[in-house]
Amino acid sequence: MMTTPEPPTQPADITAFLTAFARAAKAELTWRAYRSDLNLFARWFTRTTGDPFDARTLTRIDVRDYKQHLLAAEGKAAATVNRRLAALRAFCAWAKRQGLVTDLATDGIADVPVPKQAPRALDERAVDRVLRRSAQSGNRRDHAILMTLRHTGIRVAELCDLRVGDVTTSARTGTLTVRAGKGMKQRTVPLNADVRRALATYRDQDRHGADRAEFLFISQRTKTRLTQKAVRGLTAKYGYQAHVADGHPHAFRHSFATELLRQGVPLTAVGALLGHESLQSTARYTRPSERDLRDAVAKLALEDER
C-alpha cells in the first residue's frame, strides 16, 4: 500500500489528491512521479504569483506560463514537459470531480511536439563486428540467423516462422519467401551471395535431410521451432561480445533499411522489401539520426576532431 508522506511545503490539495490516487491502487511509479511533478509546480506557482498553491486559484494562464517556463527558462525536454502537464491534468480532473473547481485549468494546453527521429540502427561497422563474432563462434545456425537479419531486413517473428522450403538458393540467385508477414501478407525477398552462402552452409551441414515442411531455424537443444526470445538472446550475446550496445534483432532491420536508402534505393522498393503497407512507415528511415546531425555539423569545423 502506498503512503503519502507530506513534505513540509506540500500543499493540502496535492496531499489529498495523492491520497485518493493511492487508495485507487494506481501504479506506484506514477504516484511518485505525480508527487514530484506537482510539488515542483506548486513551488513555481508560489514563487511566481506570491500566493499559496490552491486548486481553486489555478488558472489556464498559470499552466500556460509554467509550460513556457519549463521550455524557455529551464530548457526541459519535450518529454519532461509533457509528463509534468500530464500530472497537472490528472490533478485538475480530480479537483473537478471533488467539486473544488468547475473548469479545468489544463484545457487547451497542448503537449509539446516530440521530434521524430529515424529508428535506431546499427552502423555498418557495428553490424560487421557482430557478424564477425558469430562467424568466429563456429555456430553455423547462429551465423545464418544474423546474416539473414542483416541482409533481408525481415522481422524476428517472420524469421522464426520460416520453413525450409521458404528459402531457395543456387550459385547465382536465391529468394526468401515470407508467407505470414504483418497483416498476413506474403512477400519475396532476394538473397545476395553472402546470405546465400551462410544459409547453404547451415542447411547442408546442420539440416541435411530435413523435411521441407519443417521450420528452417530450430532450437539446438529441443530441435523445435526457434522462439523470438531465443533470437533476441543470441543477438544480445554476439552484440555483447562485439561491444555493441544495441544488440536487439530489430536493429538489424533498421540498419538494412537505412543502408538501402543511403545507397539511393527508391523508397517504394525499400518498403516492399520490409513488407510495409504504407510508405509513411518506410519514410521514418529518411529522418536524420543524431549521428547524421552531428556529422553534418562536424563538417563545418576547420579542424579535424579526430
Side-chain angles (χ1 to χ4, degrees):
M1 177 67 179
M2 290 173 283
T3 59
T4 55
E6 181 179 348
T9 57
Q10 180 165 291
D13 284 349
I14 293 179
T15 300
F17 164 73
L18 292 172
T19 300
F21 191 89
R23 286 174 178 168
K26 302 291 186 179
E28 184 170 0
L29 287 177
T30 304
W31 178 85
R32 292 182 182 276
Y34 281 177
R35 181 181 62 175
S36 173
D37 291 340
L38 290 173
N39 277 291
L40 286 171
F41 174 76
R43 287 195 285 271
W44 171 88
F45 178 87
T46 299
R47 286 197 311 266
T48 303
T49 67
D51 297 326
F53 178 82
D54 187 295
R56 300 166 187 82
T57 61
L58 184 59
T59 69
R60 191 174 303 169
I61 294 175
D62 297 320
V63 178
R64 182 199 64 193
D65 289 350
Y66 182 59
K67 174 183 173 182
Q68 291 304 316
H69 168 78
L70 292 175
L71 291 169
E74 296 191 15
K76 297 297 185 184
T80 300
V81 177
N82 294 341
R83 192 196 69 220
R84 295 197 185 178
L85 289 175
L88 282 170
R89 291 190 186 101
F91 172 79
C92 289
W94 167 84
K96 187 175 182 179
R97 290 195 301 270
Q98 298 302 307
L100 301 178
V101 299
T102 55
D103 297 320
L104 296 176
T106 51
D107 269 358
I109 308 297
D111 279 345
V112 180
V114 178
K116 293 182 178 181
Q117 294 183 335
R120 293 186 63 180
L122 297 175
D123 62 47
E124 191 171 0
R125 287 172 295 183
V127 172
D128 288 343
R129 292 203 305 272
V130 176
L131 294 175
R132 189 178 300 113
R133 284 292 182 177
S134 67
Q136 292 171 345
S137 74
N139 190 312
R140 290 180 291 264
R141 185 209 63 176
D142 289 359
H143 187 59
I145 287 172
L146 292 178
M147 291 292 286
T148 301
L149 292 172
R150 167 69 176 88
H151 292 284
T152 67
I154 63 174
R155 302 176 179 92
V156 179
E158 295 169 344
L159 179 133
C160 292
D161 285 339
L162 287 174
R163 295 178 181 270
V164 175
D166 293 335
V167 175
T168 60
T169 59
S170 65
R172 295 185 175 276
T173 187
T175 60
L176 177 155
T177 301
V178 178
R179 302 191 183 279
K182 197 171 183 178
M184 299 307 293
K185 291 189 176 181
Q186 180 173 313
R187 71 183 188 280
T188 300
V189 181
L191 300 176
N192 63 27
D194 290 341
V195 69
R196 291 201 307 269
R197 188 179 304 110
L199 285 169
T201 301
Y202 164 62
R203 289 199 301 174
D204 292 346
Q205 298 185 28
D206 289 11
R207 289 301 309 266
H208 181 70
D211 185 84
R212 294 181 62 84
E214 292 185 353
F215 290 104
L216 176 62
F217 296 114
I218 58 176
S219 167
Q220 294 173 325
R221 182 174 60 86
T222 65
K223 304 303 179 183
T224 57
R225 174 180 177 272
L226 196 65
T227 65
Q228 295 183 46
K229 181 180 179 180
V231 176
R232 289 193 293 269
L234 72 89
T235 57
K237 178 181 74 173
Y238 292 113
Y240 175 79
Q241 293 177 3
H243 305 289
V244 173
D246 190 356
H248 194 280
H250 221 61
F252 287 85
R253 176 173 168 85
H254 298 328
S255 300
F256 174 79
T258 300
E259 288 187 27
L260 289 180
L261 290 169
R262 284 177 178 170
Q263 293 172 14
V265 177
L267 202 63
T268 51
V270 177
L273 290 170
L274 294 174
H276 285 161
E277 295 185 4
S278 167
L279 285 183
Q280 290 182 344
S281 298
T282 316
R284 295 180 303 157
Y285 297 98
T286 64
R287 299 191 185 104
S289 65
E290 290 184 11
R291 180 187 174 191
D292 294 330
L293 298 176
R294 185 172 61 249
D295 291 347
V297 174
K299 291 178 183 177
L300 299 177
L302 296 178
E303 298 182 3
D304 191 339
E305 296 182 357
R306 292 173 295 178

